[in-house]
Amino acid sequence: GAPPDVETDAEADVKVVKVGGTPASVIRRQRKKVQARKEEARRQRRLRAGFPKPEDLEPGEVEEMPRQGQFKSPWTGKVYDRWSPIGMKQGVMDRRGGLAQAPANLTPKQRRAAMDLDEETAEVPSISKIDPELLPQRTKAKENLKSEPNRWARFVGGLDNVFNQIIIGAAVKIKASAKDSPLWYMEPCGGEGEYHVSRLKPGLPPPASTLRPLVEDVYEDLQGEDRDSLEPALTHWLDAVEMLNNEEEFEVKNDVGRQETNSVQWLPSTTLCAMRSLRAQDPVSIWERNLLSVAAFDNFLYNYHDRFPCKVEVTKGDGIRKMRALVVHKRDHYSVHGVPKGQRGVIVVDPGTFGPQKAKTMENTILTMRKNWHSATVIVTYPMLDMFEDLLRTAVGNVLSEGDETLELLQVEMVVVASIEGEGETRGCGMLIASPPFGLKKQIVPALNQLKEAIMGRVEVEVSVQELVAQPKKRFKKKSKREFRLH
């Protein structure tokens, strides 16, 4: 026999099983009661939180939560919200507690300040009543250190640039014309190749740190002189300036345009004056840290590639470090030209600034290159300021004492004694040349004297050119035990 709760239908051969349990109608009533209890509990919580009753609201009025229910967790140390902020999305959920983390601008105090639209009743912080210039440094906002990269295009175009370009152009020209063998030109602080007279600030005067007179003023003074009476070094520099300013094929864009007030619009660089004397067999290696300057130099080479037959490479990076790895450690992957193998060379280090680190770099560059590349001429430039005078003399003395007896140094300096207008302090520029080419002093001395006379109406300068001879320290050899017995 079949169990009592199972019935058998003989016609359909189907068994119908009756399962016991709570009826569906009862389950629906129970669910409604649970939902009603939840709604009542939610209503009580809203009333305790400060929500108005629905019957107290006017037609069309929307209820507003007073932003309560925040607390600081003793476990995480963070402030949390129990409800979503009004009119805003809920913050990031804490996976451990399931609560929304409260941003700083969503705290009750900040929200009250944001909701208070009446300026008369708004609370004004006391710190806003103080003059911003009188506030302590700790209350001021920190400056953005990633604003705009520094570029030498802002500070170029002074008398020191003219001084460097005249001497370096003459040195490269003498050394390139002496032999037909390749001459490798290296410059670890390359710059941009050419610069505009606006110094990246159209309509504003050049910075006060630029040594006066400016390049455009020097060109104006020399342009009136007879070209046949000028020295070759000055003529070479004038030709470089005119090469940039007499071009009509290029279209100037952006805010840097041609100005009608001055005939000189583009200023040459040290690299430009040097490459004008190089030949097709001469390699050139330029390094520059600033990416914008590398891009500007690459554009300069693209525009004037037909003017320079030499093979030029431009690399972004620390030029001093890479040049040392190339010359001293013979790492050929730092240059497409390989490594120096006894050929002649010219190394120009023009950092533009001076300090303890630059003084140490000057010493190491001259001594290291003298030891590892004996046939190279090393030229290091430096500004002359009263604050760096002792540091400079110490660096030059260290080079003379650490170098060998065959080291020859040529020190050239130009000091602006006093301005005719009586403005500014006494400043100047200088250059230290290790292993100078033969005949360089005979060319630059008359050229600098002519430059001095040409700008006499603007400033009074003094020029000094002196040859320095290395005086190495006496190194006492330690006596052996046998020598002591003989004595």
Side-chain angles (χ1 to χ4, degrees):
D5 56 346
V6 178
E7 297 181 358
T8 303
D9 190 352
E11 296 179 357
D13 295 334
V14 177
K15 292 182 179 181
V16 180
V17 181
K18 295 181 179 180
V19 180
T22 307
S25 59
V26 178
I27 295 177
R28 285 194 295 269
R29 286 195 298 269
Q30 291 177 354
R31 288 179 179 176
K32 288 182 180 180
K33 292 181 181 180
V34 172
Q35 188 68 20
R37 286 197 298 268
K38 289 183 179 180
E39 291 290 340
E40 180 64 21
R42 179 174 176 273
R43 191 179 68 84
Q44 294 296 333
R45 288 197 303 268
R46 291 167 63 87
L47 292 177
R48 288 195 300 268
F51 280 90
K53 296 181 179 180
E55 56 269 15
D56 297 340
L57 295 176
E58 298 293 336
E61 185 179 358
V62 181
E63 60 184 7
E64 181 182 2
M65 186 177 65
R67 291 289 295 119
Q68 298 179 6
Q70 295 177 347
F71 70 99
K72 184 177 181 181
S73 172
W75 305 100
T76 62
K78 298 181 180 180
V79 180
Y80 293 91
D81 282 341
R82 293 188 182 273
W83 307 283
S84 300
I86 297 176
M88 301 182 184
K89 295 183 179 180
Q90 195 170 11
V92 181
M93 295 293 294
D94 190 341
R95 300 183 64 178
R96 289 175 291 182
L99 299 174
Q101 185 174 343
N105 61 338
L106 298 180
T107 58
K109 183 178 180 181
Q110 293 289 337
R111 187 174 182 277
R112 283 196 301 268
M115 296 295 292
D116 193 356
L117 303 179
D118 190 1
E119 298 181 357
E120 297 181 358
T121 60
E123 297 181 1
V124 180
S126 58
I127 194 172
S128 64
K129 304 177 183 179
I130 306 176
D131 188 359
E133 298 182 357
L134 302 179
L135 291 174
Q137 188 66 29
R138 64 178 182 274
T139 61
K140 297 181 180 179
K142 296 183 179 180
E143 298 181 359
N144 186 11
L145 300 180
K146 299 182 179 180
S147 55
E148 187 176 357
N150 189 16
R151 293 175 59 182
W152 289 115
R154 303 180 185 276
F155 312 101
V156 298
L159 182 62
D160 52 342
N161 297 123
V162 181
F163 173 82
N164 296 338
Q165 293 163 12
I166 290 175
I167 299 178
I168 293 174
V172 174
K173 188 174 183 179
I174 292 174
K175 200 155 187 178
S177 59
K179 295 180 181 180
D180 294 335
S181 59
L183 177 66
W184 196 337
Y185 179 83
M186 293 185 181
E187 189 168 352
C189 308
E192 302 182 8
E194 62 178 355
Y195 307 95
H196 194 261
V197 292
S198 63
R199 278 88 174 175
L200 300 181
K201 294 182 179 180
L204 297 178
S209 59
T210 306
L211 187 61
R212 268 63 172 180
L214 303 177
V215 172
E216 45 267 38
D217 299 332
V218 176
Y219 176 78
E220 183 180 353
D221 296 338
L222 292 176
Q223 193 178 16
E225 302 289 338
D226 185 13
R227 289 294 183 95
D228 298 335
S229 61
L230 292 179
E231 293 293 327
L234 290 180
T235 307
H236 182 78
W237 180 80
L238 290 174
D239 294 340
V241 178
E242 293 174 354
M243 185 194 77
L244 298 177
N245 293 274
N246 293 340
E247 292 289 342
E248 300 295 341
E249 300 178 358
F250 305 121
E251 180 183 359
V252 182
K253 300 181 180 180
N254 300 330
D255 296 335
V256 182
R258 294 189 179 274
Q259 304 174 2
E260 301 294 339
T261 58
N262 200 327
S263 60
V264 177
Q265 300 299 317
W266 298 96
L267 312 177
S269 64
T270 304
T271 312
L272 170 62
C273 296
M275 290 194 303
R276 293 186 72 249
S277 301
L278 297 177
R279 305 150 299 175
Q281 65 268 28
D282 298 332
V284 178
S285 298
I286 306 296
W287 292 278
E288 176 58 43
R289 279 188 172 184
N290 195 325
L291 184 59
L292 293 178
S293 299
V294 173
F297 197 98
D298 184 72
N299 183 68
F300 164 74
L301 291 178
Y302 177 79
N303 293 332
Y304 294 96
H305 64 277
D306 56 338
R307 302 296 184 91
F308 310 117
C310 53
K311 304 175 180 62
V312 186
E313 64 168 347
V314 185
T315 309
K316 179 186 180 300
D318 188 353
I320 299 295
R321 184 181 63 84
K322 292 190 175 183
M323 183 181 64
R324 186 187 302 274
L326 180 66
V327 178
V328 179
H329 303 290
K330 306 300 180 182
R331 297 177 181 174
D332 55 355
H333 62 276
Y334 280 103
S335 175
V336 297
H337 305 305
V339 296
K341 297 180 180 179
Q343 66 264 48
R344 300 174 303 142
V346 176
I347 300 175
V348 177
V349 182
D350 185 12
T353 58
F354 199 74
Q357 186 64 30
K358 295 294 188 296
K360 196 66 177 178
T361 301
M362 181 176 67
E363 299 178 20
N364 295 338
T365 303
I366 293 178
L367 297 175
T368 304
M369 297 303 156
R370 174 68 178 178
K371 180 180 179 181
N372 296 273
W373 197 2
H374 195 274
S375 58
T377 299
V378 183
I379 303 176
V380 183
T381 64
Y382 53 86
M384 296 187 62
L385 298 173
D386 296 338
M387 58 191 310
F388 296 137
E389 184 177 1
D390 296 339
L391 185 63
L392 176 63
R393 304 309 172 196
T394 303
V396 176
N398 294 338
V399 173
L400 296 176
S401 61
E402 297 293 336
D404 53 6
E405 297 178 354
T406 60
L407 176 61
E408 298 179 1
L409 293 177
L410 184 65
Q411 189 176 21
V412 188
E413 295 180 349
M414 175 179 286
V415 181
V416 179
V417 178
S419 174
I420 300 300
E421 301 176 357
E423 299 180 357
E425 59 180 356
T426 301
R427 300 171 58 192
C429 52
M431 181 181 299
L432 193 63
I433 308 174
S435 303
F438 178 77
L440 178 62
K441 182 178 179 180
K442 294 182 180 180
Q443 282 200 15
I444 63 176
V445 170
L448 294 178
N449 289 333
Q450 283 189 351
L451 177 63
K452 173 183 176 181
E453 295 176 0
I455 62 176
M456 186 67 70
R458 301 180 185 273
V459 293
E460 179 184 353
V461 298
E462 291 183 358
V463 179
S464 64
V465 181
Q466 53 181 344
E467 296 179 351
L468 306 178
V469 181
Q471 300 177 356
K473 297 179 180 178
K474 295 183 178 180
R475 307 182 187 276
F476 296 96
K477 184 179 178 182
K478 186 177 180 180
K479 295 182 179 181
S480 62
K481 296 182 179 179
R482 180 180 179 81
E483 292 176 344
F484 275 111
R485 294 194 192 99
L486 293 176
H487 287 287

